Amino acid sequence: MPRQKFNVHEFLNPDLNADPNLILTTKNRSLKQLQNEQKEKEDLADKLRDDIKRFVDVVPDDIADLATFHFIIAHFSTQCKSHDGKVVPAEGAMLSMSISQGITGDFHAFLEPGDIPCGYRSECMAKGRKTHNIPIDAEDEFYTKDRLVFDQLLELINRSSAEVVFCLEDEVQDVKDVLELMLEKRTNHQAQAPQVFPLEELMYFMDESLKRAFKAQNKAKDKKHFFFKDKEAAGAHLQNETERFKFQVPSCTFHEETGRVEYCSQAKMRQRAFIIMDRYCDVSFEFCFELCYYINTIFTSFSTKIFFDNFSREIKVVNS
Protein backbone atom coordinates (compact mmCIF):
# COMPACT_ATOMS: atom_id res chain seq x y z
CA MET A 1 0.00 0.00 0.00
CA PRO A 2 1.52 3.33 -1.05
CA ARG A 3 2.41 5.68 1.73
CA GLN A 4 0.18 8.81 1.86
CA LYS A 5 2.04 12.10 1.59
CA PHE A 6 1.84 14.23 4.72
CA ASN A 7 0.29 17.66 4.08
CA VAL A 8 1.14 20.25 6.76
CA HIS A 9 -1.53 22.67 5.49
CA GLU A 10 -4.29 20.08 5.83
CA PHE A 11 -2.93 19.03 9.21
CA LEU A 12 -3.15 22.62 10.52
CA ASN A 13 -6.56 23.15 8.85
CA PRO A 14 -8.45 19.89 9.36
CA ASP A 15 -11.76 21.38 8.16
CA LEU A 16 -10.30 22.69 4.90
CA ASN A 17 -12.04 20.09 2.73
CA ALA A 18 -15.01 19.51 4.98
CA ASP A 19 -18.61 20.11 4.02
CA PRO A 20 -19.46 23.84 4.57
CA ASN A 21 -22.76 22.76 6.10
CA LEU A 22 -20.87 20.95 8.87
CA ILE A 23 -18.34 23.67 9.71
CA LEU A 24 -19.61 25.70 12.65
CA THR A 25 -18.54 29.14 13.84
CA THR A 26 -18.13 30.25 17.45
CA LYS A 27 -21.81 31.28 17.39
CA ASN A 28 -22.82 27.77 16.30
CA ARG A 29 -23.69 28.82 12.77
CA SER A 30 -22.61 26.90 9.71
CA LEU A 31 -20.15 28.34 7.21
CA LYS A 32 -22.65 27.67 4.43
CA GLN A 33 -25.22 29.79 6.25
CA LEU A 34 -22.77 32.68 6.54
CA GLN A 35 -21.89 32.38 2.85
CA ASN A 36 -25.58 32.48 1.90
CA GLU A 37 -26.17 35.54 4.06
CA GLN A 38 -23.20 37.31 2.48
CA LYS A 39 -24.52 36.46 -0.98
CA GLU A 40 -27.96 37.84 -0.06
CA LYS A 41 -26.38 41.09 1.17
CA GLU A 42 -24.42 41.47 -2.07
CA ASP A 43 -27.53 40.80 -4.17
CA LEU A 44 -29.51 43.32 -2.13
CA ALA A 45 -26.77 45.93 -2.55
CA ASP A 46 -26.71 45.36 -6.33
CA LYS A 47 -30.51 45.69 -6.52
CA LEU A 48 -30.41 48.91 -4.49
CA ARG A 49 -27.70 50.30 -6.77
CA ASP A 50 -29.85 49.55 -9.83
CA ASP A 51 -32.87 51.18 -8.18
CA ILE A 52 -30.91 54.36 -7.44
CA LYS A 53 -29.71 54.51 -11.04
CA ARG A 54 -33.31 54.22 -12.20
CA PHE A 55 -34.50 56.94 -9.81
CA VAL A 56 -31.99 59.53 -11.07
CA ASP A 57 -32.11 58.50 -14.74
CA VAL A 58 -33.61 61.25 -16.90
CA VAL A 59 -34.62 61.42 -20.53
CA PRO A 60 -32.96 64.12 -22.68
CA ASP A 61 -36.19 66.12 -23.05
CA ASP A 62 -37.00 66.10 -19.33
CA ILE A 63 -33.86 66.90 -17.33
CA ALA A 64 -36.12 68.67 -14.83
CA ASP A 65 -37.00 65.29 -13.27
CA LEU A 66 -33.57 65.27 -11.63
CA ALA A 67 -34.25 68.63 -10.01
CA THR A 68 -37.47 67.32 -8.44
CA PHE A 69 -35.97 64.07 -7.10
CA HIS A 70 -36.48 64.03 -3.31
CA PHE A 71 -33.96 62.21 -1.14
CA ILE A 72 -32.77 62.00 2.47
CA ILE A 73 -29.32 62.85 3.86
CA ALA A 74 -28.33 61.65 7.33
CA HIS A 75 -25.48 61.85 9.79
CA PHE A 76 -25.18 59.97 13.11
CA SER A 77 -22.50 60.29 15.77
CA THR A 78 -21.79 57.40 18.13
CA GLN A 79 -20.17 57.02 21.52
CA CYS A 80 -18.60 53.63 20.81
CA LYS A 81 -19.13 50.24 19.22
CA SER A 82 -18.49 46.97 21.05
CA HIS A 83 -16.63 43.94 19.71
CA ASP A 84 -19.94 42.17 19.03
CA GLY A 85 -21.35 45.07 16.99
CA LYS A 86 -23.48 46.82 19.61
CA VAL A 87 -23.49 50.56 19.02
CA VAL A 88 -24.02 53.37 21.55
CA PRO A 89 -25.63 56.35 19.72
CA ALA A 90 -24.88 59.97 20.53
CA GLU A 91 -26.43 62.39 18.01
CA GLY A 92 -28.46 62.23 14.83
CA ALA A 93 -29.63 64.60 12.10
CA MET A 94 -31.60 64.05 8.90
CA LEU A 95 -33.11 66.16 6.15
CA SER A 96 -35.15 65.66 3.00
CA MET A 97 -34.29 67.80 0.00
CA SER A 98 -34.46 68.26 -3.75
CA ILE A 99 -32.43 70.41 -6.11
CA SER A 100 -35.40 72.59 -7.08
CA GLN A 101 -37.00 73.04 -3.63
CA GLY A 102 -33.96 72.82 -1.37
CA ILE A 103 -34.46 71.48 2.17
CA THR A 104 -38.10 70.42 2.63
CA GLY A 105 -37.86 68.94 6.12
CA ASP A 106 -35.30 68.09 8.80
CA PHE A 107 -34.79 67.06 12.41
CA HIS A 108 -31.92 66.99 14.88
CA ALA A 109 -31.70 65.13 18.19
CA PHE A 110 -29.37 63.85 20.87
CA LEU A 111 -30.02 60.11 21.08
CA GLU A 112 -30.53 58.02 24.18
CA PRO A 113 -27.34 56.00 24.80
CA GLY A 114 -29.23 53.12 26.39
CA ASP A 115 -27.34 50.37 28.18
CA ILE A 116 -23.61 50.81 27.65
CA PRO A 117 -21.81 47.47 27.04
CA CYS A 118 -19.75 46.21 29.95
CA GLY A 119 -16.19 47.54 29.80
CA TYR A 120 -16.88 50.28 27.23
CA ARG A 121 -17.86 53.18 29.47
CA SER A 122 -14.35 54.64 29.54
CA GLU A 123 -14.09 54.36 25.74
CA CYS A 124 -17.37 56.25 25.37
CA MET A 125 -16.19 59.02 27.68
CA ALA A 126 -12.81 59.27 25.94
CA LYS A 127 -14.36 59.53 22.48
CA GLY A 128 -16.87 62.11 23.71
CA ARG A 129 -14.16 64.35 25.17
CA LYS A 130 -12.07 64.03 22.01
CA THR A 131 -14.86 64.66 19.48
CA HIS A 132 -18.51 65.69 19.89
CA ASN A 133 -18.41 66.19 23.70
CA ILE A 134 -21.90 64.67 24.12
CA PRO A 135 -22.37 63.20 27.62
CA ILE A 136 -23.52 59.63 28.24
CA ASP A 137 -25.15 60.34 31.61
CA ALA A 138 -27.02 63.61 31.12
CA GLU A 139 -30.54 64.32 32.39
CA ASP A 140 -33.37 62.58 30.53
CA GLU A 141 -34.58 65.92 29.16
CA PHE A 142 -31.33 66.25 27.18
CA TYR A 143 -32.13 63.23 24.99
CA THR A 144 -34.92 62.72 22.47
CA LYS A 145 -36.95 59.53 22.83
CA ASP A 146 -36.14 56.85 20.26
CA ARG A 147 -39.80 56.49 19.32
CA LEU A 148 -40.02 60.18 18.43
CA VAL A 149 -36.78 60.04 16.45
CA PHE A 150 -37.93 57.09 14.36
CA ASP A 151 -41.38 58.64 13.80
CA GLN A 152 -39.69 61.77 12.45
CA LEU A 153 -37.55 59.57 10.21
CA LEU A 154 -40.63 57.83 8.81
CA GLU A 155 -42.23 61.21 8.16
CA LEU A 156 -39.21 62.29 6.11
CA ILE A 157 -39.15 59.00 4.21
CA ASN A 158 -42.79 59.45 3.22
CA ARG A 159 -41.81 62.73 1.52
CA SER A 160 -38.89 61.26 -0.41
CA SER A 161 -38.86 59.63 -3.84
CA ALA A 162 -37.07 56.54 -2.50
CA GLU A 163 -37.07 54.81 0.88
CA VAL A 164 -33.30 55.17 1.13
CA VAL A 165 -31.06 57.17 3.46
CA PHE A 166 -27.86 58.67 1.99
CA CYS A 167 -24.63 59.37 3.87
CA LEU A 168 -20.89 59.31 3.24
CA GLU A 169 -19.49 55.89 2.38
CA ASP A 170 -17.31 55.64 5.50
CA GLU A 171 -20.36 56.45 7.65
CA VAL A 172 -22.69 53.84 6.13
CA GLN A 173 -22.15 51.18 8.80
CA ASP A 174 -22.67 53.62 11.69
CA VAL A 175 -25.90 54.89 10.13
CA LYS A 176 -27.12 51.33 9.58
CA ASP A 177 -26.31 50.35 13.15
CA VAL A 178 -28.11 53.35 14.68
CA LEU A 179 -31.20 52.94 12.47
CA GLU A 180 -31.45 49.25 13.30
CA LEU A 181 -31.00 50.01 17.00
CA MET A 182 -33.79 52.61 16.97
CA LEU A 183 -36.06 50.21 15.10
CA GLU A 184 -35.29 47.47 17.59
CA LYS A 185 -36.14 49.75 20.53
CA ARG A 186 -39.31 51.02 18.86
CA THR A 187 -40.80 47.64 17.92
CA ASN A 188 -40.90 44.22 19.52
CA HIS A 189 -41.26 42.38 16.22
CA GLN A 190 -38.95 41.71 13.33
CA ALA A 191 -38.84 44.62 10.86
CA GLN A 192 -36.42 46.25 8.46
CA ALA A 193 -34.73 49.61 8.82
CA PRO A 194 -34.43 51.92 5.77
CA GLN A 195 -31.67 51.03 3.35
CA VAL A 196 -28.50 53.12 3.41
CA PHE A 197 -26.55 54.17 0.32
CA PRO A 198 -23.33 56.20 -0.18
CA LEU A 199 -23.96 59.86 -0.99
CA GLU A 200 -20.86 59.98 -3.21
CA GLU A 201 -22.24 57.24 -5.42
CA LEU A 202 -25.60 59.03 -5.70
CA MET A 203 -23.84 62.18 -6.95
CA TYR A 204 -21.84 60.10 -9.44
CA PHE A 205 -25.05 58.52 -10.78
CA MET A 206 -26.65 61.96 -11.07
CA ASP A 207 -23.66 63.19 -13.08
CA GLU A 208 -23.78 60.14 -15.35
CA SER A 209 -27.48 60.74 -15.98
CA LEU A 210 -26.87 64.39 -16.84
CA LYS A 211 -23.96 63.50 -19.08
CA ARG A 212 -26.11 61.10 -21.11
CA ALA A 213 -28.92 63.65 -21.37
CA PHE A 214 -26.63 66.48 -22.52
CA LYS A 215 -24.93 64.19 -25.02
CA ALA A 216 -28.28 63.17 -26.50
CA GLN A 217 -29.26 66.85 -26.81
CA ASN A 218 -25.91 67.68 -28.47
CA LYS A 219 -25.42 70.47 -25.95
CA ALA A 220 -21.98 71.79 -25.12
CA LYS A 221 -20.94 70.99 -21.58
CA ASP A 222 -20.93 73.92 -19.21
CA LYS A 223 -17.33 74.70 -18.32
CA LYS A 224 -18.34 75.27 -14.70
CA HIS A 225 -19.89 71.82 -14.42
CA PHE A 226 -17.30 69.06 -14.68
CA PHE A 227 -18.61 65.51 -14.55
CA PHE A 228 -17.33 63.01 -12.00
CA LYS A 229 -15.47 60.09 -13.54
CA ASP A 230 -16.24 57.84 -10.56
CA LYS A 231 -17.65 57.93 -7.03
CA GLU A 232 -14.18 58.64 -5.61
CA ALA A 233 -14.13 61.92 -7.55
CA ALA A 234 -17.54 62.80 -6.06
CA GLY A 235 -16.22 62.01 -2.58
CA ALA A 236 -13.17 64.21 -3.17
CA HIS A 237 -15.46 67.05 -4.29
CA LEU A 238 -17.53 66.75 -1.10
CA GLN A 239 -14.40 66.70 1.03
CA ASN A 240 -12.82 69.71 -0.70
CA GLU A 241 -16.00 71.77 -0.54
CA THR A 242 -16.52 70.85 3.10
CA GLU A 243 -13.02 72.07 3.92
CA ARG A 244 -13.47 75.21 1.84
CA PHE A 245 -16.72 76.22 3.56
CA LYS A 246 -15.71 75.00 7.01
CA PHE A 247 -17.52 76.68 9.93
CA GLN A 248 -19.78 78.65 7.56
CA VAL A 249 -22.89 76.59 8.37
CA PRO A 250 -24.21 77.26 11.91
CA SER A 251 -24.20 74.32 14.31
CA CYS A 252 -26.66 73.50 17.10
CA THR A 253 -26.64 75.50 20.34
CA PHE A 254 -24.96 72.71 22.32
CA HIS A 255 -21.94 72.49 20.02
CA GLU A 256 -21.72 76.28 19.80
CA GLU A 257 -21.50 76.48 23.57
CA THR A 258 -19.00 73.60 23.88
CA GLY A 259 -16.83 74.83 21.01
CA ARG A 260 -17.11 71.59 19.01
CA VAL A 261 -18.97 72.92 15.98
CA GLU A 262 -16.98 70.75 13.54
CA TYR A 263 -18.53 67.62 15.08
CA CYS A 264 -22.16 68.79 14.97
CA SER A 265 -24.34 66.35 12.99
CA GLN A 266 -26.79 69.07 12.07
CA ALA A 267 -24.08 71.32 10.63
CA LYS A 268 -22.47 68.46 8.68
CA MET A 269 -25.77 67.37 7.18
CA ARG A 270 -26.83 70.88 6.13
CA GLN A 271 -23.40 71.63 4.71
CA ARG A 272 -23.58 68.57 2.46
CA ALA A 273 -27.07 69.59 1.32
CA PHE A 274 -25.83 73.09 0.42
CA ILE A 275 -22.85 71.65 -1.48
CA ILE A 276 -25.18 69.46 -3.55
CA MET A 277 -27.55 72.35 -4.27
CA ASP A 278 -24.65 74.60 -5.29
CA ARG A 279 -23.38 71.96 -7.69
CA TYR A 280 -26.66 71.18 -9.43
CA CYS A 281 -28.44 74.53 -9.19
CA ASP A 282 -27.55 75.26 -12.84
CA VAL A 283 -29.74 72.32 -13.87
CA SER A 284 -32.59 73.58 -11.72
CA PHE A 285 -32.18 77.16 -12.98
CA GLU A 286 -32.23 76.03 -16.61
CA PHE A 287 -35.36 74.03 -15.94
CA CYS A 288 -37.10 76.96 -14.20
CA PHE A 289 -36.12 79.36 -16.98
CA GLU A 290 -37.44 77.06 -19.70
CA LEU A 291 -40.62 76.41 -17.71
CA CYS A 292 -41.24 80.16 -17.22
CA TYR A 293 -40.61 80.78 -20.91
CA TYR A 294 -43.03 77.98 -21.84
CA ILE A 295 -45.75 79.28 -19.49
CA ASN A 296 -45.24 82.84 -20.70
CA THR A 297 -45.54 81.71 -24.32
CA ILE A 298 -48.76 79.84 -23.60
CA PHE A 299 -50.16 82.78 -21.63
CA THR A 300 -49.25 85.24 -24.40
CA SER A 301 -50.83 83.06 -27.07
CA PHE A 302 -53.93 82.55 -24.93
CA SER A 303 -54.24 86.29 -24.24
CA THR A 304 -53.83 87.11 -27.93
CA LYS A 305 -56.54 84.60 -28.81
CA ILE A 306 -58.92 86.11 -26.26
CA PHE A 307 -58.19 89.60 -27.58
CA PHE A 308 -58.97 88.69 -31.20
CA ASP A 309 -62.05 86.69 -30.16
CA ASN A 310 -63.42 89.69 -28.26
CA PHE A 311 -62.43 92.02 -31.10
CA SER A 312 -64.28 89.90 -33.65
CA ARG A 313 -67.36 89.81 -31.39
CA GLU A 314 -67.32 93.61 -31.16
CA ILE A 315 -67.10 93.90 -34.95
CA LYS A 316 -70.07 91.56 -35.34
CA VAL A 317 -72.10 93.59 -32.85
CA VAL A 318 -71.32 96.85 -34.68
CA ASN A 319 -72.17 95.37 -38.07
CA SER A 320 -75.46 94.05 -36.76
Side-chain angles (χ1 to χ4, degrees), residues 227-243:
F227 293 107
F228 300 130
K229 62 178 182 179
D230 49 34
K231 66 178 183 180
E232 286 75 18
H237 175 76
L238 276 172
Q239 184 177 359
N240 294 336
E241 292 296 289
T242 300
E243 190 64 28

Side-chain angles (χ1 to χ4, degrees), residues 72 96 104-107 148-160:
I72 296 176
S96 61
T104 58
D106 67 339
F107 82 87
L148 179 59
V149 172
F150 205 84
D151 287 344
Q152 290 176 325
L153 166 62
L154 293 178
E155 184 179 347
L156 290 180
I157 288 179
N158 292 333
R159 300 179 186 176
S160 63

Side-chain angles (χ1 to χ4, degrees), residues 15 19 45 48 61 105-106 129 158 161 179 187 194 218 245 280 320:
D15 295 329
D19 186 352
L48 177 59
D61 296 332
D106 67 339
R129 294 192 187 103
N158 292 333
S161 303
L179 290 177
T187 59
N218 293 324
F245 296 109
Y280 296 104
S320 61

Side-chain angles (χ1 to χ4, degrees), residues 40-264:
E40 290 177 1
K41 289 181 180 179
E42 293 175 356
D43 293 342
L44 184 62
D46 291 339
K47 182 181 181 302
L48 177 59
R49 186 171 286 103
D50 293 337
D51 290 341
I52 299 299
K53 287 181 180 180
R54 189 179 71 254
F55 286 138
V56 300
D57 190 29
V58 293
V59 295
D61 296 332
D62 201 1
I63 300 180
D65 283 347
L66 189 62
T68 58
F69 173 66
H70 270 81
F71 56 96
I72 296 176
I73 300 178
H75 180 272
F76 287 98
S77 297
T78 60
Q79 301 284 11
C80 73
K81 187 174 182 179
S82 64
H83 65 281
D84 57 352
K86 185 176 181 180
V87 65
V88 179
E91 181 187 16
M94 282 190 175
L95 63 78
S96 61
M97 64 167 291
S98 69
I99 307 301
S100 59
Q101 296 183 356
I103 298 175
T104 58
D106 67 339
F107 82 87
H108 168 256
F110 296 106
L111 308 177
E112 296 176 321
D115 297 329
I116 299 176
C118 183
Y120 285 89
R121 186 176 183 83
S122 61
E123 183 177 333
C124 291
M125 296 176 66
K127 181 179 180 180
R129 294 192 187 103
K130 185 179 179 180
T131 56
H132 45 64
N133 210 25
I134 298 173
I136 57 176
D137 51 3
E139 299 293 334
D140 292 341
E141 292 77 11
F142 180 79
Y143 306 109
T144 303
K145 298 296 182 182
D146 292 317
R147 177 180 293 274
L148 179 59
V149 172
F150 205 84
D151 287 344
Q152 290 176 325
L153 166 62
L154 293 178
E155 184 179 347
L156 290 180
I157 288 179
N158 292 333
R159 300 179 186 176
S160 63
S161 303
E163 295 184 1
V164 183
V165 175
F166 296 94
C167 64
L168 295 188
E169 189 168 20
D170 57 357
E171 300 170 357
V172 167
Q173 194 56 51
D174 282 345
V175 173
K176 284 183 178 180
D177 292 338
V178 174
L179 290 177
E180 290 173 359
L181 177 63
M182 287 193 298
L183 180 65
E184 181 182 344
K185 288 182 177 181
R186 185 179 184 272
T187 59
N188 295 323
H189 55 81
Q190 189 70 21
Q192 287 187 346
Q195 294 178 297
V196 184
F197 195 79
L199 182 61
E200 304 95 319
E201 201 161 354
L202 170 66
M203 295 178 66
Y204 168 63
F205 289 158
M206 292 171 70
D207 265 34
E208 285 293 296
S209 180
L210 284 174
K211 187 191 299 184
R212 289 192 298 268
F214 288 155
K215 186 176 181 180
Q217 290 180 343
N218 293 324
K219 286 187 176 181
K221 185 179 68 172
D222 188 348
K223 294 181 180 179
K224 296 181 181 179
H225 191 94
F226 64 93
F227 293 107
F228 300 130
K229 62 178 182 179
D230 49 34
K231 66 178 183 180
E232 286 75 18
H237 175 76
L238 276 172
Q239 184 177 359
N240 294 336
E241 292 296 289
T242 300
E243 190 64 28
R244 189 159 70 96
F245 296 109
K246 201 172 184 179
F247 305 121
Q248 292 191 18
V249 178
S251 66
C252 66
T253 305
F254 172 81
H255 285 105
E256 286 283 353
E257 294 176 349
T258 57
R260 301 293 178 87
V261 294
E262 67 270 27
Y263 295 103
C264 178

Side-chain angles (χ1 to χ4, degrees), residues 297-311:
T297 302
I298 294 177
F299 180 76
T300 304
S301 302
F302 184 68
S303 301
T304 304
K305 183 178 183 301
I306 293 177
F307 171 78
F308 280 110
D309 286 347
N310 292 334
F311 183 72

